[in-house]
Amino acid sequence: MNQHMPPEPVPFIDIGAQRRRLGKSIDEAVGRVLAHCQFVNGPEVTALEQALAQFSGARHVVSCASGTDALLMVLMAENVGRGDAVLCPSFTFCATGEAVALTGATPVFVDVDEATFNMDAASLKRGIVTARKLGLKPRAIIPVDLFGQSADHDAIAAVAEAEGLFVLDDAAQGFGASYNGRRLGTFGRATATSFFPAKPLGCYGDGGAIFTDDAALAERLRSIRVHGQGADKYDNVRLGLTGRLDTVQAAVLLEKLKIFDGEIAARNEAAERYSRGLGNVVTVPLLAAGCTSVWAQYTIRLPKGVDRDGFAAALKAKGVPTAIYYPKSMHQQTAYRDFPVAEGGLSASERLSADVISLPMHAYLDAPAQERVIAAVRSAL
Ligand SMILES: *Cc1c(COP(=O)(O)O)cnc(C)c1O
């Protein structure tokens, strides 16, 4: 490399490194689908659902077309709709609240804990009060395992039980993580995840899955996945979607699942290296007791007074990309600002949206690349 040229940027996520590692096995897996031509409902789809059930400990797995569909399908299967309230954190990707609004129900946004970025049980309780005051019927809670770390599922389950609500866990970023030794996929009535390529377990397009121990719910989900089919596909007993996962994506995921545990370990090593290198200059992410993370993002908070845009520009000049998840909380978005928020406001979400920034994170991030990131962060402050 010419010494006057800037160094190659560190990849923010590195789907290419994994592709090179898995090259032949993925080519062969996709080749098998191309040979048998069952592009919808092929044998890989059933095999993947079984493998995911085994991996997570959930009894039933229903694969589907995206993480958003996974959330929406569970709400549809539970007849959530107009007049109902569903409690969700505001500091999340928009799909969490979007799935609720698409059913006609009202998302009620609650605050998060500033240290873990995950749903705050005290704000959740206030949000339920708010919903009732507005004449809405609280039905469900959607905690999010944000940035890969499991939410406080015991605290949320206690509120759900006391209030008679069901829990739909949004593990789109956290699938593979655990809470008190149990993998996500086994908390609440159902868990939704996404296989979007940038998620910790991603495919080569869009995909998702739903996990549940409830056999009757799994049956309804399998019906909703195919236009609400009954006895056969020309018997429609409810509203549904074209919600299937393609066979090619299932074939890709089966290969990736084989190395997922190792990748989770590598992501945790990378997170530990970051925290050792940066813990004394920025606020590094905190793992709560009993929680693990798959580090979908490694998100830091900048000290007061540091200009975030200037900081990002200084890193970029050194070949270190950054991203802001999320510059606006959901209740600050044009499409969602008219929905209710929990009494007491969402000040933690608003503060986080103003000062978080995410650093490169993936399973193929080696120590030298991380040293570059750490040095760039330290010099930019
Ligand atoms: C990505 C994501 C989703 C949606 O998944 P898609 O597969 O993109 O539809 C839902 N919730 C959260 C928290 C996400 O990060």
Side-chain angles (χ1 to χ4, degrees):
M1 185 173 29
N2 180 323
Q3 68 184 54
H4 300 295
M5 295 277 284
E8 279 286 302
V10 175
F12 188 75
I13 56 165
D14 198 345
I15 291 166
Q18 186 201 49
R19 170 76 188 107
R20 289 189 292 279
R21 173 181 173 191
L22 286 174
K24 199 160 167 294
S25 73
I26 297 247
D27 292 352
E28 287 171 2
V30 172
R32 286 191 291 273
V33 180
L34 296 178
H36 69 50
C37 290
Q38 294 177 61
F39 298 119
V40 168
N41 291 338
E44 286 82 358
V45 175
T46 313
L48 175 69
E49 290 179 344
Q50 283 163 358
L52 289 170
Q54 180 106 41
F55 179 88
S56 63
R59 241 176 241 141
H60 307 280
V61 177
V62 178
S63 59
C64 63
S66 70
T68 306
D69 276 4
L71 293 165
L72 178 61
M73 286 165 63
V74 173
L75 297 170
M76 289 170 75
E78 295 292 341
N79 286 312
V80 170
R82 209 157 295 284
D84 292 338
V86 177
L87 291 294
C88 4
S90 185
F91 189 65
T92 180
F93 181 62
C94 67
T96 312
E98 183 183 39
V100 175
L102 285 171
T103 68
T106 302
V108 176
F109 295 113
V110 312
D111 214 0
V112 295
D113 176 278
E114 234 169 306
T116 63
F117 311 121
N118 277 330
M119 185 181 258
D120 172 8
S123 178
L124 169 61
K125 287 185 201 161
R126 291 195 293 273
I128 295 169
V129 171
T130 307
R132 292 215 169 96
K133 279 188 185 161
L134 291 168
L136 297 166
K137 181 170 190 261
R139 290 284 314 280
I141 303 168
I142 308 186
V144 178
D145 307 293
L146 200 73
F147 302 150
Q149 177 176 195
S150 60
D152 188 355
H153 288 290
D154 282 351
I156 290 158
V159 176
E161 203 164 317
E163 302 282 351
L165 313 183
F166 75 87
V167 173
L168 165 56
D169 184 22
D170 181 349
Q173 300 179 14
F175 184 66
S178 63
Y179 178 77
N180 288 337
R182 239 167 78 200
R183 276 237 156 95
L184 296 183
T186 58
F187 295 90
R189 186 165 303 171
T191 299
T193 198
S194 165
F195 301 127
F196 181 74
K199 310 286 181 178
L201 179 62
C203 58
Y204 288 161
D206 283 304
I210 302 157
F211 303 75
T212 184
D213 282 351
D214 181 334
L217 172 59
E219 262 321 294
R220 295 198 296 283
L221 291 168
R222 291 182 196 283
S223 162
I224 288 170
R225 180 166 69 173
V226 199
H227 303 287
Q229 79 170 21
D232 62 62
K233 64 176 161 176
Y234 302 107
D235 177 33
N236 308 114
V237 296
R238 55 172 66 79
L239 296 183
L241 305 166
T242 301
R244 294 170 297 243
L245 179 74
D246 294 343
T247 310
V248 167
Q249 301 303 344
V252 168
L253 284 163
L254 276 167
E255 298 310 309
K256 291 200 185 193
L257 190 58
K258 292 177 190 163
I259 61 163
F260 190 38
D261 270 322
E263 290 187 332
I264 293 170
R267 285 170 177 274
N268 274 280
E269 276 171 37
E272 282 161 25
R273 281 199 294 260
Y274 270 151
S275 294
R276 280 196 302 275
L278 296 173
N280 63 347
V281 289
V282 296
T283 307
V284 295
L286 175 88
L287 286 185
C291 297
T292 70
S293 181
V294 292
W295 301 103
Q297 303 298 338
Y298 186 88
T299 302
I300 59 171
R301 297 185 67 189
L302 298 177
K304 270 202 182 54
V306 175
D307 167 50
R308 184 167 59 182
D309 292 341
F311 175 85
L315 265 63
K316 189 170 177 214
K318 297 210 152 111
V320 176
T322 56
I324 295 168
Y325 303 115
Y326 296 91
K328 287 181 191 169
S329 290
M330 281 200 76
H331 71 285
Q332 299 172 309
Q333 294 280 2
T334 306
Y336 300 97
R337 65 185 170 210
D338 295 330
F339 290 115
V341 304
E343 288 179 7
L346 309 183
S347 60
S349 299
E350 288 166 12
R351 279 193 295 277
L352 289 171
S353 288
D355 72 10
V356 291
I357 188 162
S358 302
L359 301 178
M361 170 54 80
H362 53 82
Y364 303 90
L365 194 57
D366 58 17
Q370 275 195 288
E371 288 311 322
R372 270 180 67 196
V373 178
I374 291 167
V377 169
R378 297 186 75 96
S379 85
L381 286 170

